[in-house]
Amino acid sequence: MRSRDDKKQEALYLATIKLVNEIGFSASSVAKIAREAGVSPATLYIYFKNKEDLLVSTYLEIKEEMGRALLAGFDEGLPVHDLLHRVWCNTFAYVSENLAEFRYTEQFANSPYSELVDKTRVRAHFEPLLRVIQQGIDRKIIKDVDPDILTAFLFHPIMVLANPKHCSSFKPSGENIEIAFRMAWDALRL
Amino acid sequence: MRSRDDKKQEALYLATIKLVNEIGFSASSVAKIAREAGVSPATLYIYFKNKEDLLVSTYLEIKEEMGRALLAGFDEGLPVHDLLHRVWCNTFAYVSENLAEFRYTEQFANSPYSELVDKTRVRAHFEPLLRVIQQGIDRKIIKDVDPDILTAFLFHPIMVLANPKHCSSFKPSGENIEIAFRMAWDALRL
Amino acid sequence: MRSRDDKKQEALYLATIKLVNEIGFSASSVAKIAREAGVSPATLYIYFKNKEDLLVSTYLEIKEEMGRALLAGFDEGLPVHDLLHRVWCNTFAYVSENLAEFRYTEQFANSPYSELVDKTRVRAHFEPLLRVIQQGIDRKIIKDVDPDILTAFLFHPIMVLANPKHCSSFKPSGENIEIAFRMAWDALRL
Amino acid sequence: MRSRDDKKQEALYLATIKLVNEIGFSASSVAKIAREAGVSPATLYIYFKNKEDLLVSTYLEIKEEMGRALLAGFDEGLPVHDLLHRVWCNTFAYVSENLAEFRYTEQFANSPYSELVDKTRVRAHFEPLLRVIQQGIDRKIIKDVDPDILTAFLFHPIMVLANPKHCSSFKPSGENIEIAFRMAWDALRL
DNA sequence: GATGAATGAGTGTTCATTCAT
DNA sequence: CATGAATGAACACTCATTCAT
């Protein structure tokens, strides 16, 4: 028998991301994704149970990779400020280098499919970061407020700024990134 | 294309918003929207050029209404801080009272249709606010940074916090809203 | 608007019967049936909820018509023997003149779809006949046995003999029909 | 095509019968049959030329076995009546103990595949029985009518009565079986 | 001999849109 | 103005069969 080809699975992931970026979530049909990946639509169903499985798997794949990228060089010995700064910069780097992947996750999160993912599993990839934030709170460095609020001021601004689609004038230069981080820190710190 | 029976047009707007919320953007077919609105699919084409026109018009309609709501009681004589605070509270009020409309705009903005809208027209509805921010900068009250950055720390956190879908623990109590505004202000002020 | 066209519904019934006869139940796809009926597959779904509905409706349509045909000239004043003889002859006439319809019902009854029909509704079309048989039992003309047994000797032999597919030598001449009825009567009568 | 591993071949026969009974003829795909039999779809094609061959072979296999069962204890020295009675009882026994196999043959006979089998080969399995019937005719014990008619009153009633699917009230108790045989004999005998 | 991978052709069904009334 | 009927094209998915190992 022919052996299962990881190349094909990878090609399907990439085709999915590419198409969703180019023509959007709902226009990305199984047929188009398969054609883009260079396989038959029937083949897609060897690697994924159905379309939903393909889309969810693609999302989880990206989230895992993204978690690794954001936490690169994450040394928990460093001060909270420095750790957050490191993650902040990592995020900008990841998003600008993997814009398609990032946009896929945004479209996915705003689709009905998003309700199918186990959110705690996704959160797990970012666990060390959440721990450090808690540390910052305990040490009275960061405001002691609801975690959702912290997230809203720490991560969402990056997400917006790093995605050219949402920005008309902002350019992610090193300087701008530092300015924005400074503001996030002003928001969070006690 | 337009006609006198605004009841039907309004019903189509509401049906669109309701369905997109319930079953998502891509599952909201013309036939379902028409049925929900209590008209024939053919009738829809009297009021809107095509599906795209329906979706875009619905979006613009919401954005206009939303602009009005956010700027309610906007007295440019007040200090910058107070004005932003007023808008902040208005936003929370609008989103929590019009969650379906708000979610529609989020789904719309993350779809390929979003590229069809004239963004300057949308921006116009929020013009007074932008003017006040510029004032704040000129008077050295607000940091002199790219407007996109200011937006990222002023509006996006609200959008996130006001939408229960994105929050697991945060509850939009009056106190929480004040805490969050305080953080936004910390980020922006000089 | 265009008005609903009974011609099309009828054409779909006929196409279904024809195709099931020619290529069998499972090979009769919606696309082929629609093409045979001269309409688009999408049109089929205006007249029937889905394929199942089409097949079941076709079956019920035939059964109703068949009930009428078998009971033509059914005068309950006649003796039991004569009434059964009349039905016997009607059945031969119906089946030989409507072989395609008859075969459709046979294929249908042997498909999983058969479990979807309300059997009491079908039985209703043959009610007068069942009543007469009960009369024959009460008057001690017909053996007092389980109704299924009577049916097995009264109807099933006709079904078999009238369907050339099941017969290699039998020809439904008037004489043969009489011979066969004589045997059925011998089986039933006390 | 054939090979030595009769276990697999037998498993495929059984899987085919089981699935056709459970989900019907048309829903029984090669893939499902193979899975049910615990082999790969490709393996199926080692033992059978194609799906048609599998279905026809399964039918013939059953018919052969059935012929053996019906003629068990068939002593041509016995009177015609007793021989037919014996076959009658054998049939009830076989069908009730091998309902799945029996139903398979019914579904098969009502499918287009049935036209692919050499009917004389099937008939051969029942040859002694046909011979005895002819004997009955010659000895003026049985009515001298077309063999198809005899079959219609001898075998088809059993087929119907033995298959619970066709009966709403009839139960194949010993007594009922005798009653039914009595009726068949009444129909046939001179 | 045995298999999982692979696929073109097909499945039933829904789509956005137009037509005739 | 308003509509249900109509449809070609597309949808997600499965089919029987073959291929390479």
Side-chain angles (χ1 to χ4, degrees), chain C residues 8-104:
Chain C
K8 289 218 171 72
Q9 179 145 324
E10 186 65 18
L12 284 164
Y13 281 137
L14 293 176
T16 304
I17 294 164
K18 186 173 177 216
L19 270 180
V20 166
N21 265 272
E22 283 173 5
I23 63 177
F25 224 77
S26 51
S28 295
S29 70
V30 167
K32 288 176 191 158
I33 292 171
R35 196 181 310 122
E36 174 73 35
V39 302
S40 152
T43 303
L44 192 152
Y45 286 85
I46 295 170
Y47 292 89
F48 301 96
K49 200 151 48 85
N50 50 31
K51 190 188 184 183
E52 172 187 312
D53 183 31
L54 167 65
L55 296 176
V56 171
S57 298
T58 302
Y59 177 74
L60 293 175
E61 200 79 359
I62 295 174
K63 277 295 185 180
E64 192 181 338
E65 165 69 12
M66 201 171 158
R68 267 197 300 274
L70 301 210
L71 296 176
F74 194 80
D75 173 359
E76 297 200 25
L78 294 174
V80 173
H81 171 275
D82 295 7
L83 278 168
L84 294 186
H85 183 258
R86 159 62 61 111
V87 172
W88 183 274
C89 293
N90 283 348
T91 306
F92 263 102
Y94 176 82
V95 174
S96 57
E97 284 161 26
N98 304 275
L99 199 47
E101 279 78 5
F102 177 67
R103 279 180 173 159
Y104 177 87

Side-chain angles (χ1 to χ4, degrees), chain B residues 62-74 83-95 98 102 125-126 129 155 158-159:
Chain B
I62 295 173
K63 275 296 185 180
E64 191 181 338
E65 165 70 13
M66 197 169 161
R68 267 196 300 275
L70 300 211
L71 297 176
F74 194 82
L83 279 168
L84 294 186
H85 183 259
R86 159 63 59 107
V87 172
W88 182 273
C89 293
N90 283 347
T91 305
F92 263 101
Y94 176 81
V95 173
N98 304 275
F102 177 66
H125 298 130
F126 303 88
L129 179 53
F155 294 113
I158 324 183
M159 303 292 179

